[in-house]
Amino acid sequence: MQKTSACAKIILSGEHAVVYGKPGIALPVTNLQTVIKVEKADTFSFVADKELEEHEEKKLHDLYHFVSSSLKVKPMHKIHIQSNLPISSGLGSSASLTVALIRSLLVHHGYKLNDSKINLLAFEAEKIFHGTPSGIDNTVVALEKPVYYERGSIEILNLKFPLSFIIADTGIRSDTKKVVEDLRKRYEKDEVKHSAIHDKIEMVTRRARPALEQGHLVELGMLMLENHNLLKELKVSCSELDALVKAAIKAGAYGAKMAGAGRGGHIIALVDEPNRDEVFKALEDVSPRIIITEVK
Ligand code: PMV
């Protein structure tokens, strides 16, 4: 049985605003992976290395049937899923599962892998999880490269230096679809206010791009914090995320922000050699799970 896999992701800038056509920057997290093996079988079944809630199992069924019918392969497989990604935590677990599943079925049936085509199918499949996804999650996961994403247009970013991020979990799961829908309702009630915040997020993202590419840590860190404060104004943060951001900054991180849909999930903190241990220790005290990742 051949194994295929797909990485996790973090959003460096522009989540939520990206759903409204603004640019977003996402980075792959390659030390977290969903690994899938496919076995020929008489019908569809799966085994996963973690317990899934009923609604998650249902989504997995829907995803599998959508992908197998799109690829025109008979739904006769036993799918083995192994993953070190936390579910519903802003690290792209659904995109990672989707891309890994598409890859695994393609490999199993002897097809060639084409990441751009995989990305297009993953975008359609993501709708099962998120309703109206912007497309940024499936793109960064399928291409496994830093991306600048705006209304479906994708630019791969080349970083002058590798950057280190500490990812800290609140331990609270959150449902992206629900957070995005709630924000949509608030947007429809007061478009002027929300559009103005989206415009500010857009400015931050446009400035974050060269800072990321050139490795200007102080500038990038400042923009991350600005982004976090704007997400707070959109009411998608929560006290637990704010506390982790505060702890990271207090311990000397260049910047920190919630990453992903919010109302739970993770924060990311930008660090380098001199401040990494200090920030790690400070976050370890207040977060149930910490991951360090290097983005190249
Ligand atoms: O929390 P995640 O990993 O599902 O990230 C969602 C990012 C959003 O901008 C909130 C939604 C989207 O479709 O882009």
Side-chain angles (χ1 to χ4, degrees):
M1 263 191 293
Q2 256 178 300
K3 276 185 190 174
T4 53
S5 63
C7 66
K9 62 88 215 192
I10 46 179
I11 297 188
L12 178 69
S13 194
E15 56 270 87
H16 286 293
V18 73
V19 176
Y20 296 78
K22 300 296 187 187
I25 299 173
L27 309 172
V29 176
T30 51
N31 49 338
L32 295 179
Q33 294 275 338
T34 305
V35 179
I36 292 192
K37 285 189 289 184
V38 178
E39 212 182 320
K40 206 168 164 230
D42 295 335
T43 174
F44 165 62
S45 66
F46 73 90
V47 264
D49 65 349
K50 41 171 96 72
E51 226 169 274
L52 299 179
E53 288 173 20
E54 209 180 307
H55 71 98
E56 290 164 343
E57 275 195 22
K58 157 113 184 39
K59 279 184 181 166
L60 180 59
H61 272 82
D62 293 350
L63 172 67
Y64 169 80
H65 287 292
F66 174 78
V67 171
S68 56
S69 81
S70 304
L71 297 178
K72 299 191 172 40
V73 296
K74 285 197 182 122
M76 294 164 75
H77 307 103
K78 183 168 183 184
I79 306 287
H80 300 254
I81 306 166
Q82 250 182 317
S83 166
N84 56 358
L85 266 82
I87 297 176
S88 305
S89 300
L91 297 181
S93 60
S94 66
S96 181
L97 174 67
T98 302
V99 171
L101 181 65
I102 298 171
R103 284 186 180 145
S104 69
L105 289 177
L106 287 171
V107 167
H108 182 76
H109 289 278
Y111 293 111
K112 276 209 177 124
L113 298 185
N114 172 321
D115 288 338
S116 303
K117 284 191 184 155
I118 290 171
N119 187 26
L120 290 178
L121 179 55
F123 176 59
E124 294 307 317
E126 273 278 271
K127 292 179 184 166
I128 295 171
F129 291 97
H130 296 326
T132 55
S134 64
I136 193 168
D137 278 18
N138 48 277
T139 299
V140 65
V141 169
L143 305 184
E144 217 169 281
K145 297 256 166 46
V147 295
Y148 188 86
Y149 182 91
E150 188 169 6
R151 290 180 193 275
S153 106
I154 302 158
E155 285 178 78
I156 302 225
L157 302 177
N158 294 306
L159 274 52
K160 216 167 171 180
F161 314 103
L163 297 187
S164 292
F165 292 89
I166 298 182
I167 303 171
D169 194 355
T170 55
I172 304 167
R173 282 188 177 194
S174 98
D175 180 354
T176 300
K177 189 165 185 256
K178 172 100 180 62
V179 183
V180 169
E181 276 171 7
D182 287 353
L183 179 57
R184 174 68 66 182
K185 281 184 204 144
R186 292 197 295 282
Y187 173 87
E188 276 162 8
K189 271 195 194 139
D190 193 343
E191 258 189 56
V192 174
K193 176 182 146 195
H194 287 87
S195 297
I197 303 173
H198 291 161
D199 288 348
K200 286 185 194 164
I201 294 178
E202 175 177 8
M203 297 288 282
V204 167
T205 303
R206 294 202 188 283
R207 285 166 59 205
R209 176 181 177 160
L212 170 72
E213 288 173 314
Q214 299 302 317
H216 293 153
L217 301 184
V218 174
E219 165 85 354
L220 186 59
M222 202 191 69
L223 291 167
M224 286 168 70
L225 202 53
E226 241 179 82
N227 196 165
H228 181 74
N229 289 330
L230 290 165
L231 289 163
K232 266 170 84 171
E233 279 186 46
L234 286 180
K235 298 195 179 0
V236 291
S237 188
C238 61
S239 57
E240 291 84 354
L241 284 165
D242 297 344
L244 289 178
V245 166
K246 209 168 157 192
I249 298 295
K250 198 167 161 224
Y254 290 100
K257 65 181 277 289
M258 56 160 269
R263 297 247 188 91
H266 289 76
I267 67 126
I268 54 171
L270 179 63
V271 294
D272 66 357
E273 198 64 42
N275 60 13
R276 191 170 49 202
D277 291 351
E278 206 56 40
V279 177
F280 189 92
K281 264 191 251 145
L283 288 172
E284 217 179 12
D285 285 344
V286 282
S287 161
R289 182 181 155 116
I290 317 270
I291 301 149
I292 297 194
T293 195
E294 191 172 83
V295 181
K296 289 182 191 139

